[in-house]
Amino acid sequence: MWQKRKSVVFTWIVSYSVVLFVPWLISLIIYTQSSDALRSEIHRANDSLLKQARYTIDTQIDLMKRLNMEITWNAKLQSLMYSTKSQGEAQFTAYQLAKDLLTYQTSYATVDEFYVTWEQEGAILRSGNVRELETAFNTIHATGEISYGQWLETIRTSTSNRFLLLPHMDALYPKTSIAYLTHLPKDLNGRVTGTVVVMTDLSRFQEAIESISGFSGGQVLILNQANEVLMSNLADADVQDKVVRQLAGGYPADDEDFELLSIPSSVSDLKYALVIPSRIFWEKAEYVRKFTYASIAISLLGAGVLTWFFVRRNYSPIQELVRSVTDKSVHAERADGNELNFIRRAISQTKNETERMALQLKLHQHALRSNMLNRLLKGRMDSLVPYEEAFESFGMKQLSERFATILFVVENADNLASVLPGIDGDERRKLAQFILTNVVEELVGRHDHAGYVTEIDDMMVCLVNFSEGEVAEFRDELRAIATEAQLFLVQFRLDLTISIGGVHEGFAGIADAYREAVDAMEYKMVRGKREIITYDDIRIDPADNLQFGYYYPLQLEQQIINWIKAGDVGEAARAMDEIMQRNFNKPVVTLTLAKCLIFNLVGTMVKAINEIGDGESSILGGHPLWMDKIIACDTIQEMRGELLALLDEVCAFAAAKREKSISQERAESLRHLAAKVIRHIEEHYDDTSLSVNSLGERFELKGSYLSKLFRNETGEGLPDYINKLRIDRAKRMIRDRGTSIADVAKRVGYNEAATFIRVFKKYEGITPGKFKEMG
């Protein structure tokens, strides 16, 4: 098998083994889950038994605690321990208390012994009698297990409300009882008063546990709060020590010999533990374990036999197949020893060779078909093979002798980059051609015609071979095909300009149909891009005797130049649009006349720029190739857009230049006007009628407007200028002390002296009188 490790046989054996390993693994999981379930059930059952034991023991413990409480709170005991009585009265009270304790013995028959230590008198109060401490010890506890001194120390120093083991004379073997001690509170002087002790023989607890069915194989331990064993029926001391250590440490049993369960008491601080030998614990699960092991062994044996059988049965066809495809040329490739890899490589090589041959044939066929179609479209019919046979060899159906051509130009093949990013320009061109070819040929087929697309002179041409029908119908269907192709390719963001030739008979007519489609495509310059142009729409028949006039009078050209010089872009653009509409809105416009009109409009722009007086201006300098750019446009619409864009700049330049000239003239005129106004004010400042309105009448302007113009030029309003001039002249007169203030006011143009004083104070900050005193 190791020598055949690379063979398919080895692979199958491993695969089958892995598959068969799954049910084996599932069996183990089921066994594990079943064992866990059985363990849980066993634990639950033993826990239930332990709870029953706890209930039984807690019942006895509760009786002991209740009796302890009744004795502790007995009124006579409280009176004896905490009242100040004479010795005689105290002895009498103790005697009565002993009689009361007899009634407790009757009520609590399962309690074997109880008493109260009377520390003040050194006595023991029992049911029916009062004894000294040592006498009572000899009566109750003198079994030899504990001395009198040890007993006193235990009674006096043990923690209150504690369970512990004490020997009992009347108890069965091992002569031990569980005692519950409660120390009575100290008296008012802080002296110890006594201790209540309630005892139950261990035999009663043992009998209660053994009465519960199901405990035949288990042992029970009772531990107090300090993890001291109060009762145990474990025969092995080592096991008992191990259980105590585990319970004290709080971790589960790790010994394989026994299982440990523990539960706290519900009425006290005791703890109950159940110890079950592992043999008994797992007795119920042993059957499941053995059955699982047996089923796994049988499964493995059966799996091995079935694996070998199916491997031999399935390998025989593989051997035969290997022999059939093996030859001397590929024998060396079987060195890896895997039969399936050998077969796969042999098939892959054959398939690759077949595909390579088919691809080469297809590529050559496509090139040959394209060459044949190119020669047909250009009228070079020199094929050695008849075109009917050539069509048939290339899988091209010839439906009739009538043909037409549809010419396609993709205006924005680069838009495929936004739809299909990550491809270069050459790939985008090929992809656009592929899409267009498939779409157009399918659309032609939907109209029950045959269409064959090829590339020629950077354009895509579809040769349409019509089925039976009328020529008028063919023309409508050709336009419908073109329209559908345009709409479909919009989803790829491709814009098409389409031209359609006429319908011609025979293979010789194909060249005529192609030439007509080319002529129609050239008319894109007038019609614009993304249009469908048919040869019938632009065909000029001499018999029609059409008049092609040319509208662009010299007078209108001069008006356009004047509007440009005036910066009126609206009128200039309107005039250019009118010229284009009157020339291009005719049914048929020759391309020669269209180009002449564009050249004339460009010439008009050049004339206007020169007449503006800036022949070498920034307009021409900033657009050194603007004329080449206009002439290079594909359509009249694009030329118009370039012309209007340049017209905007030229008109803006002319308007700015004119505005600058007007502003300079206006500024000069405003300076002359301000000088005249100042001269008039200086000559007539003493005239009382001098005001803004009088100045406006003098210079034939509205007073407020004149004041605004004066402020724009000098930065100061007319009223302020008049008042400041008058105050300046008045200050000169006031310095002449022989002139009164009233005379000064009249001499500078104020009728009222009060008005003069108010204006003087406004501009000088003091009255004329103060100014005169200061002078």
Side-chain angles (χ1 to χ4, degrees), residues 489-711:
L489 291 180
V490 167
Q491 61 183 310
F492 296 99
R493 301 182 183 177
L494 296 178
D495 296 331
L496 296 180
T497 301
I498 304 175
S499 63
I500 303 173
V503 180
H504 293 268
E505 294 285 339
F507 291 107
I510 294 176
D512 295 333
Y514 173 68
R515 187 184 65 256
E516 292 174 358
V518 172
D519 292 342
M521 183 60 71
E522 289 182 358
Y523 209 75
K524 176 178 69 172
M525 178 179 179
V526 177
R527 290 289 185 87
K529 296 179 179 179
R530 296 176 290 277
E531 296 290 337
I532 299 176
I533 309 168
T534 63
Y535 181 75
D536 291 338
D537 294 339
I538 65 165
R539 183 172 58 85
I540 300 174
D541 191 348
D544 293 340
N545 195 23
L546 296 176
Q547 299 296 324
F548 295 104
Y550 181 79
Y551 176 77
Y552 192 22
L554 294 175
Q555 180 181 1
L556 183 56
E557 181 183 21
Q558 187 60 47
Q559 288 180 352
I560 293 175
I561 293 174
N562 292 336
W563 281 324
I564 293 175
K565 289 166 60 180
D568 192 345
V569 64
E571 289 295 330
R574 182 192 60 76
M576 285 188 176
D577 283 340
E578 180 183 355
I579 292 170
M580 290 185 180
Q581 288 177 3
R582 294 189 63 172
N583 282 280
F584 296 138
N585 282 351
K586 297 177 180 180
V588 178
V589 178
T590 64
L591 296 178
T592 304
L593 289 179
K595 293 178 180 179
C596 287
L597 178 63
I598 295 300
F599 287 142
N600 284 339
L601 290 175
V602 171
T604 301
M605 297 284 291
V606 174
K607 293 177 184 178
I609 292 173
N610 288 328
E611 290 195 19
I612 291 173
D614 201 11
E616 301 295 332
S617 66
S618 59
I619 296 296
L620 294 177
H623 303 78
L625 301 176
W626 66 276
M627 187 176 295
D628 293 339
K629 187 176 181 181
I630 292 175
I631 300 303
C633 292
D634 292 332
T635 63
I636 296 296
Q637 288 82 358
E638 293 179 358
M639 293 180 179
R640 176 182 175 278
E642 294 292 337
L643 275 173
L644 292 179
L646 183 62
L647 179 66
D648 284 340
E649 293 195 30
V650 173
C651 289
F653 175 78
K657 188 171 182 180
R658 185 168 180 237
E659 183 66 25
K660 180 179 179 181
S661 177
I662 293 174
S663 298
Q664 290 177 351
E665 293 177 359
R666 184 177 179 184
E668 186 66 24
S669 175
L670 189 60
R671 281 196 297 273
H672 287 309
L673 177 63
K676 291 180 181 179
V677 172
I678 291 173
R679 187 165 55 253
H680 182 81
I681 293 173
E682 289 178 346
E683 293 174 356
H684 301 89
Y685 73 90
D686 56 346
D687 187 357
T688 57
S689 63
L690 181 64
S691 64
V692 174
N693 292 330
S694 66
L695 287 172
E697 294 176 358
R698 167 70 179 75
F699 292 99
E700 298 180 353
L701 293 172
K702 191 176 181 180
S704 59
Y705 181 66
L706 179 63
S707 179
K708 181 179 178 181
L709 294 177
F710 188 83
R711 180 184 294 278

Side-chain angles (χ1 to χ4, degrees), residues 265-322:
S265 173
S266 60
V267 298
S268 64
D269 56 4
L270 296 180
K271 191 187 307 180
Y272 310 133
L274 175 62
V275 180
I276 304 174
S278 296
R279 175 182 54 79
I280 299 175
F281 186 88
W282 284 105
E283 184 177 4
K284 297 178 181 179
E286 190 64 26
Y287 171 76
V288 175
R289 180 183 303 173
K290 292 180 180 179
F291 180 79
T292 302
Y293 289 159
S295 63
I296 291 175
I298 294 172
S299 298
L300 291 176
L301 180 60
V305 173
L306 291 175
T307 298
W308 183 251
F309 172 75
F310 285 116
V311 165
R312 286 182 60 87
R313 180 176 180 181
N314 295 333
Y315 184 65
S316 296
I318 297 295
Q319 279 184 317
E320 294 297 327
L321 186 59
V322 169

